[in-house]
Amino acid sequence: MLLLPAAALCCLCSALVAMAAEPTQDQLSLTRRVGDRASFSCGGTDQCGWIYWFQKKDTGTFRPILNIRTSDGAIYPNNNHPQKDDFTAEREQNSCELKIKKVKPSHAATYYCACWKSGTWMLIFGSGTKLFVTDTPVVKPVVSVYPAASKDALDRKSSLLCVASNMSPPLVQFSWTRQREGEKPSPAEGEQLELREEGRTASIMVVDRDASYTYTYSCHVRHEDVTVEAPEEQGEGGLVTVVSFMCLCLYSRAWTFTLRAGLIDFTFCKAFVQTPALALK
């Protein structure tokens, strides 16, 4: 029987909204073929009284798989889970792993670990690891970063666009760093927007205009177990492709935002679609 405190269940939704830095799931996704083994890691659990593992399919709700009492490592499976016999778990001092001995198509889902600390009334969730079950080989993304077009900036803001494309599986995670000459890279400060379309995902980093002249910005794309860093900024030829992508998203989602190119809105996109060269001047 799964030992899940009633209060923890009541706080499940609020805990999901306020995801904390602990516990940590460094694996963004895993790709496995039918019959392969799969292992999901969860770190930062040394302060947990209980560790829980949940399965969530794309169109489903969170289903508890098992929980682990950290004081003695005892494992309690959820007898109501239809795949309960497919899962095992191992506990170490500061981490634990959920394992599948033989992957089945029905195992395709996102797996979350969660921590319950004594004296609290909520579960703290990890970021999740998505399992893709397919024969399609893993293909790392093609990553490019582009400057915005050469118009005057509005609101003293500048933007950089980073595009990841042609990857399999399609799940990626963006991060930006900035570096001043003679200093080490540090996380970039600024607003980040993300646009998704079949076959590619774009991240837009909006920063203060002055900072864009002071720092060199780098885009990093995490995919499966590797991180791909974008090469140096591409020219305006590549920007045409990116702005086409952005305009498509604007038309479909009615989004408007400020870029170094100016205010990218429906009027700009209409002009761009008709005459890209003139729109970018």
Side-chain angles (χ1 to χ4, degrees):
M1 179 177 180
L2 182 70
L3 303 178
L4 184 63
L9 279 174
C10 293
C11 295
L12 176 59
C13 292
S14 60
L16 287 172
V17 174
M19 283 189 182
E22 298 181 311
T24 57
Q25 291 183 258
D26 293 331
Q27 301 160 294
L28 182 64
S29 65
L30 289 176
T31 300
R32 295 291 185 268
R33 292 183 173 89
V34 172
D36 286 350
R37 296 175 180 267
S39 179
F40 309 91
S41 62
C42 178
T45 61
D46 55 318
Q47 299 298 317
C48 303
W50 291 86
I51 301 169
Y52 299 87
W53 279 99
F54 291 86
Q55 179 192 63
K56 185 183 184 306
K57 298 193 175 183
D58 290 343
T59 57
T61 59
F62 283 77
R63 302 193 69 169
I65 300 170
L66 54 82
N67 60 333
I68 305 170
R69 185 168 59 200
T70 58
S71 60
D72 59 4
I75 299 173
Y76 298 87
N78 175 18
N79 291 324
N80 294 322
H81 197 293
Q83 301 169 328
K84 62 182 179 65
D85 295 330
D86 297 344
F87 299 97
T88 59
E90 289 186 5
R91 159 77 175 156
E92 296 182 0
Q93 183 175 359
N94 191 36
S95 64
C96 67
E97 288 190 350
L98 178 71
K99 296 184 176 184
I100 303 175
K101 187 175 181 179
K102 282 190 174 184
V103 169
K104 303 174 183 177
S106 58
H107 290 142
T110 302
Y111 293 85
Y112 294 88
C113 66
C115 170
W116 182 77
K117 297 182 180 181
S118 300
T120 65
W121 297 103
M122 68 171 57
L123 289 173
I124 303 174
F125 276 71
S127 55
T129 299
K130 187 164 186 175
L131 174 64
F132 294 90
V133 182
T134 177
D135 289 330
T136 303
V138 174
V139 179
K140 70 179 183 179
V142 177
V143 181
S144 303
V145 62
Y146 303 90
S150 56
K151 284 189 175 183
D152 292 334
L154 299 179
D155 301 327
R156 300 191 64 81
K157 296 292 184 180
S158 294
S159 302
L160 290 173
L161 287 75
C162 184
V163 179
S165 59
N166 302 323
M167 59 276 187
S168 179
L171 188 61
V172 294
Q173 185 178 68
F174 291 91
S175 62
W176 289 85
T177 58
R178 66 180 189 177
Q179 183 176 14
R180 199 154 42 187
E181 188 175 355
E183 297 181 359
K184 293 182 178 180
S186 60
E189 298 177 359
E191 182 182 4
Q192 295 186 43
L193 306 174
E194 196 165 299
L195 306 175
R196 294 181 183 273
E197 186 190 43
E198 185 176 355
R200 53 186 171 180
T201 304
S203 173
I204 303 170
M205 184 70 191
V206 184
V207 300
D208 291 334
R209 187 179 180 185
D210 293 340
S212 67
Y213 297 131
T214 305
Y215 293 91
T216 298
Y217 286 82
S218 297
C219 172
H220 310 267
V221 179
R222 192 169 154 215
H223 180 255
E224 289 279 300
D225 57 352
V226 300
T227 298
V228 181
E229 183 173 351
E232 296 297 321
E233 293 178 357
Q234 309 297 308
E236 287 191 1
L239 182 62
V240 172
T241 300
V242 177
V243 176
S244 298
F245 173 40
M246 290 164 51
C247 286
L248 176 62
C249 291
L250 284 168
Y251 275 123
S252 62
R253 305 183 188 185
W255 284 355
T256 301
F257 46 84
T258 301
L259 297 178
R260 183 185 304 169
L263 186 64
I264 303 296
D265 58 14
F266 296 118
T267 302
F268 175 88
C269 284
K270 182 177 180 180
F272 177 83
V273 171
Q274 293 174 348
T275 316
L278 292 178
L280 289 172
K281 287 184 178 180

